[in-house]
Amino acid sequence: MAVTISGTAEARNQMRAVGSSTVFPFAKLVAERIARANPALGAPVIESTGTGAGMKLFCAGVGERFPDVENASRRMKASEAKLCQQNGVSSITEIQVGLDGVTFATANASPLQNVSQRDIYLALAKTPFGKPNRTKTWHDVNPRLPNIPIRVYGPPPTSGTRDAFAELILTPPCEANAGIAALKKADENKAKAICTAVREDGAYIEAGENDNLIVQKIEANSGTVGVFGFSYLEENMDRLKGISINSIAPTYESISSFKYPGARPLYIYIKNAHAAAIPAVRAYAAEFTKESAFGPNGYLRRSAGMIAAPNPIRARRQQQARALAPLNLASLK
């Protein structure tokens, strides 16, 4: 039977979500639970497009052709909210569904074990502190690091993990430089480019939105490094090891306490205009925020390594999932 979305007769009743490759394994488990619990709703379709590419699809409009949900490994940007509003997507609910860490991993045999944020910035920035990057090895970056080539497989610009990597890992040591701090006051965009643009000379290799492919690459090439979400590291601990950042190892405890520099929240965004027409949308929001799913002992933790948000946040998100209260889009940065 056709359903109606904003006055338009629609033939689709199967939920569709797009977005983050980091959130993807969690979203797939949630979709499977929904399909088993209520077969009449149909199995939600979950697509791993990357957060940025997913936001473009999500914000493109209201109606059958457009996704109902965006899975995101970082918060929606003000520019994305503007795109949504321009296309009639004006009522959106934001729900934080857990935590993750932007982790650096390498093969177990690799001598690379601990780096600082400054080391990473000097190794991977295109123009560290405004100068061309001519480093070839980690030893060039810091004499205390091993003499192995800098070769890092990481996410592309469309990925929320790439955005989080730039914001959480690269930007702090860059902005700690007095010259960059002064430049930021005069020309914020130029300072941001110096802090977040990564090398294009082969030291940083964009590996697409397939985090499993990054795992395979670094396992096969000892000494190389991969950048991806913590759940992929935890799932492959027999094959890989996490690299400590600022002497803090990526663990469940260090990420849940935000001691680990790469700790970040994960989100889902609900298109409220679709929620009434496609029942699985509400079911998806409700299932993702159940204590049995995203609590410390929930199946998302046991099966896929999701890190639970603190108790007050979980309680608040459960209420949001019930009410689908719209996000104040003007509050986004």
Side-chain angles (χ1 to χ4, degrees):
M1 184 172 68
V3 294
T4 299
I5 298 177
S6 291
T8 304
E10 305 290 353
R12 178 167 68 84
N13 60 8
Q14 190 175 33
M15 194 204 93
R16 179 185 172 209
V18 294
S20 167
S21 63
T22 299
V23 180
F24 178 76
F26 310 132
K28 288 288 286 184
L29 286 174
V30 168
E32 290 166 6
R33 289 280 177 136
I34 292 170
R36 286 202 302 269
N38 193 342
L41 295 180
V45 176
I46 312 296
E47 300 174 38
S48 178
T49 63
T51 297
M55 286 289 185
K56 290 180 181 178
L57 294 168
F58 179 80
C59 290
V62 173
E64 179 184 6
R65 295 185 296 116
F66 307 106
D68 314 306
V69 175
E70 158 74 357
N71 301 319
S73 58
R74 50 121 174 116
R75 203 172 188 215
M76 178 181 277
K77 299 176 181 178
S79 58
E80 292 163 341
K82 183 178 180 181
L83 177 64
C84 272
Q85 290 175 308
Q86 288 172 345
N87 292 321
V89 185
S90 56
S91 181
I92 302 167
T93 295
E94 175 189 81
I95 303 172
Q96 183 184 321
V97 293
L99 304 176
D100 183 50
V102 179
T103 58
F104 283 64
T106 190
N108 285 320
S110 171
L112 199 61
Q113 299 185 44
N114 180 37
V115 294
S116 68
Q117 286 174 264
R118 180 182 171 87
D119 293 336
I120 296 170
Y121 177 70
L122 292 175
L124 297 180
K126 184 177 181 179
T127 54
F129 305 123
K131 298 177 182 179
N133 197 333
R134 306 198 188 284
T135 58
K136 301 294 184 183
T137 71
W138 288 98
H139 187 75
D140 293 340
V141 168
N142 184 335
R144 292 192 295 271
L145 296 177
N147 190 21
I148 56 175
I150 299 167
R151 193 168 176 82
V152 177
Y153 289 92
T158 53
S159 168
T161 299
R162 173 73 166 267
D163 290 331
F165 166 59
E167 177 187 349
L168 300 174
I169 305 297
L170 297 180
T171 299
C174 175
E175 292 187 346
N177 177 275
I180 300 300
L183 176 62
K184 184 179 178 181
K185 294 178 181 178
D187 190 336
E188 187 171 359
N189 288 335
K190 186 175 181 180
K192 182 177 180 180
I194 291 173
C195 288
T196 63
V198 298
R199 298 172 71 164
E200 299 171 344
D201 58 358
Y204 182 92
I205 304 114
E206 292 179 3
E209 296 290 354
N210 188 341
D211 292 332
N212 285 315
L213 178 61
I214 298 179
V215 170
Q216 294 167 15
K217 290 282 189 183
I218 60 177
E219 184 187 25
N221 299 279
S222 182
T224 60
V225 175
V227 182
F228 41 69
F230 174 74
S231 64
Y232 287 92
L233 170 61
E234 190 173 51
E235 186 180 332
N236 294 281
M237 289 294 277
D238 57 329
R239 304 156 66 187
L240 308 174
K241 66 180 180 182
I243 298 171
S244 295
I245 299 178
N246 300 346
S247 299
I248 301 172
T251 65
Y252 184 96
E253 292 73 20
S254 67
I255 294 170
S256 62
S257 65
F258 279 89
K259 291 179 181 177
Y260 179 71
R264 58 172 172 169
L266 303 176
Y267 301 91
I268 61 173
Y269 289 89
I270 306 296
K271 191 175 293 180
N272 291 339
H274 288 199
I278 301 176
V281 174
R282 278 190 174 274
Y284 185 78
E287 182 65 30
F288 231 130
T289 55
K290 283 181 179 177
E291 194 68 8
S292 60
F294 87 144
N297 299 308
Y299 66 81
L300 294 178
R301 165 63 188 157
R302 298 194 310 272
S303 300
M306 175 175 272
I307 296 172
N311 291 343
I313 291 177
R314 297 205 307 277
R316 189 159 63 248
R317 300 320 182 198
Q318 288 162 0
Q319 193 279 329
Q320 284 181 319
R322 288 191 296 271
L324 293 187
L327 171 67
N328 176 10
L329 299 179
S331 68
L332 298 171
K333 299 178 181 178

